[in-house]
Amino acid sequence: MKSKIVIFFLSFAGFLVPMPLIAQKTLPIIVGVEKPKAIIQSTMWGIFFEDINFAADGGIYAELVKNRSFEFAKPLMGWKILKPDTTSGILIINQSETNPGNPRYARVTLVEGEPSFGLSNAGFRGMGIKKGMTYHFSILARQLEGSTMKMRIELVNPLGKLIGTTNLTPESKAWGKCTVSFAASATEPKARLNIWFEGKGSIDIDMISLFPDDTWKKRPGGLRADLVQLLADLKPGFLRFPGGCIVEGRDLENRYQWKKTIGNIEDRHLIVNRWNTEFAHRLTPDYFQSFGMGFFEYFQLAEDIGAEPLPILNCGMACQFNTAEVVPLDQLDPYIEDALDLIEFANGSSDSRWGKMRARMGHPSPFNLKFIGIGNEQWGSQYIEHYAVFVKAIKEKYPDIKIVTGTGPSPSGKDFDYATKELKKLNAQIVDEHYYANPEWFLQNATRYDNYDRNSFKIFAGEYAAQSKFTCSPDNQNNWKCALSEAAFMTGLERNADVVYMCSYAPLFAHVDAWQWTPNLIWFDNLKSFGTANYYVQKMFSNNKGTEVLPMLMKNRPLTGQNGLFASAVFDKNVNEIILKLINSTEKDQTPNIILEGSKKLMPKAKIIVLKSENTNNANSLEQPAFISPVEQELIINGKIVSPILDPYSFTIVRIKVLK
Ligand code: AHR
C-alpha cells in the first residue's frame, strides 16, 4: 500500500515550518554499511580559540592579578590604594627607552612613623579562591638604598575578612623575583589581594602575580585546569588560535604579533584587547592582553589535548569593520617573515634561530605544525593579492604546510562570491567560511555542501553558531533550539567530509561577568565552568567522529529535513562500529526504520546517546550545568533493522558494533 503524504505545519522550536508528514508508515532509511563514500579527516571537529569575553586573561590563563605590571592604559586600573590619606605613596615609573617590553613599574615609599601603606588588586571581576588550595605569590622587586620594606600579603573576601595571609621581605637591591606560597582558609569567588608595605624607605615593584597550585598539569604560571579539561573532553582534531578578529587588530599597531607573546613572561608586551570597547552595549575598559597565554603556551596546549595546531596570522590588513588599514604589497616582508619564522618556531631544529627559542622555553622537540591560516575575516581584492604573496613565500620554503585562507565574514553575497571565485583560480587548499545566522538558516543549510564543487578547495567551517536573536545581539542565548539546529547542520558537514575538512564553533569561552559576545560554547565564573547544550552537540560529533562516511538515504535522498529529520552515518574502522547521528527537530517523537544494508553481522545490542530537551528555550547554566547533557542507553537491534525512538527535539547517536 502506498503511503499517504500529508502536508502538516510542524513546529520546529517555536516556529511553524511546513513539512511533509508520512501519515501511515515511515519510509525505510538505508545505510550502505559496505559502501564508504569518503574518508573523514582526523581534523574534522576542532576548537576555535579567541581572547574575547575574558577567554585568556581572566579565563584560561590562571593568573589572578589584573594589571600585574601597571601596563594598562591607566597604570593603576584594577588597583586600589589602601590608606590613601598618608604622605606615603606610589609612583609609576616609565622606562620605555630601556625596557620597551615592560616599561612601567611602581615605586612605593613609606614615610617613617606613618602607618603601613597598601595596594589592593580586584582580580578579573574578583579572584576565585578555594579553601585549602595553595596560592603562589610572586613579585619582581628591589629595595632602594637604605630601605627596609616588608610586605604582608592577604587574601580577603568582599567584606574584608581575611582568608589567607603570608609575609615576604625582598632583600636584594637589584631587581629579582621573590616568591612565597600560602594556603587559603575559605572558598570565595570574588576575593581581593591586598599587599601591605611596612618598614621605611622605598621599594620598586613589578609583575605582581598570584597563581593557584591546581593549574593544568600543575604547571607553574599555567592554565585553569577545569577549562582545559572541557577542551580536552572534546577530543578536538585541531586548535585554531588566536582568533578571530583579534588577529587583525582594530589597527595594525594593535594586531596580534606572535613574537611579542613568547619568551620571558615579564618581557611580553601588553596591548589593549580589541574587544575592550568594541561594543558600546558591553564596554570592557579593563580588557588587555598580557600574553601570559602566548604562542608557546598555545602550541603546548594543542599538544596536551591532542589537537593539530592551526595558527591564524595577520596578512597585513587590520579589521575591515574598524580602521581597515592595509599594508602596501611592497611592504609586506615583515608580515611574511613572521609567518615563516612561526613555522620555524614550531618545527625548526633547536639549532635554528626560532627553534632554539622554543627549546629554551622548554620544548626541544618540534610541535609538528602542519597548517597555517592567512588572515581572518578579510574581503576584497587586497586580501586576494596579499594572500597570494604569502602563499608563494610559504610554499617556496615549506611546501608541505597546508594553507588556510578566508572568505570574509559572510558565507554568501558579493564579497563571498568574489573570494571563492578568485581562490579557485589560485588553487587555494582549505578555505574558511563563517556562519553566524538564525537557527532556520542552519536547518536549511544542512544541504549546503551536497552539491559542492568536488574539484576545488576543501572547506574549513571555521566559525559558526546559531544566533537566537541576531548576530552581535547581547540577548542571544545558548538555548536548545540553537544547539539542535547546529546539530542538524553538522550532519550535512559530516555527510560531505570529502569536502569539509575542519569545523569549529565560535566563540569558545565567556566569563559570565565580563563577556562582550554571546552565544559562546563554554561559560565560566571565577570558580566554576560549564558546557552549553551547543558544547554537548560538538562533543557528541567529535567523540563519535568515525573514519569513513556511509551513505544514509531515504528514497535515495540524504535526510535533510524530511519529516523534520536530519541524519548522517559513519563507520569507525578503529573500533569496528557503525555510528548513526539522528536529529528529530519536531515536537513529536518518531521511530524511523533504519536498515543497515550489507553482509556484515551486527552485535544485537547497540549503544545510544541522547541529548534532548522538551522546551527548546532551555539552556544550561552555572546553577544547572548538566541540565541538557547526553544520556546513554541500550538499544536492541532486530537483525539489520535499527529503530530508535527519537524523542521530540532530540539528537540521538546510535553506535552498532560490527562483528568480525
Ligand atoms: O567569534 C567572534 C568574532 O566573530 C570573530 O572574532 C570574528 O572572526 C567573527 O566576526
Side-chain angles (χ1 to χ4, degrees), residues 48 50 52 240 244-246 275 376-377 434 436 463 506-507 517:
F48 162 97
E50 175 168 24
I52 182 172
R240 167 179 169 158
C245 293
I246 212 155
W275 298 105
N376 176 46
E377 281 186 346
H434 295 180
Y436 295 102
E463 292 185 32
W517 180 292

Side-chain angles (χ1 to χ4, degrees), residues 47-97:
I47 294 175
F48 162 97
F49 184 103
E50 175 168 24
D51 190 4
I52 182 172
N53 306 317
F54 273 26
D57 290 304
I60 200 169
Y61 182 49
E63 172 65 271
L64 294 169
V65 178
K66 185 169 74 180
N67 194 11
R68 64 185 172 189
S69 191
F70 310 106
E71 304 298 343
F72 282 20
K74 291 184 183 158
L76 286 180
M77 187 178 245
W79 294 95
K80 206 164 84 185
I81 292 175
L82 306 172
K83 302 264 173 72
D85 47 343
T86 59
T87 40
S88 302
I90 184 166
L91 191 68
I92 299 297
I93 299 175
N94 188 320
Q95 48 174 358
S96 56
E97 288 306 313

Side-chain angles (χ1 to χ4, degrees), residues 20 29 73 98-99 114 180 194 262 276 375 393 411 439 443 448 482 499 649:
I29 296 167
T98 51
N99 196 354
E114 287 199 342
V180 65
N194 294 341
I262 58 165
N276 179 307
L443 295 183
R448 182 175 174 94
C482 290
V499 171
Y649 304 129

Side-chain angles (χ1 to χ4, degrees), residues 126-146:
M127 295 179 185
I129 299 297
K130 296 176 202 156
K131 182 176 178 175
M133 179 62 57
T134 299
Y135 289 86
H136 304 293
F137 175 88
S138 68
I139 188 166
L140 292 181
R142 68 175 171 194
Q143 296 273 4
L144 266 67
E145 207 46 55

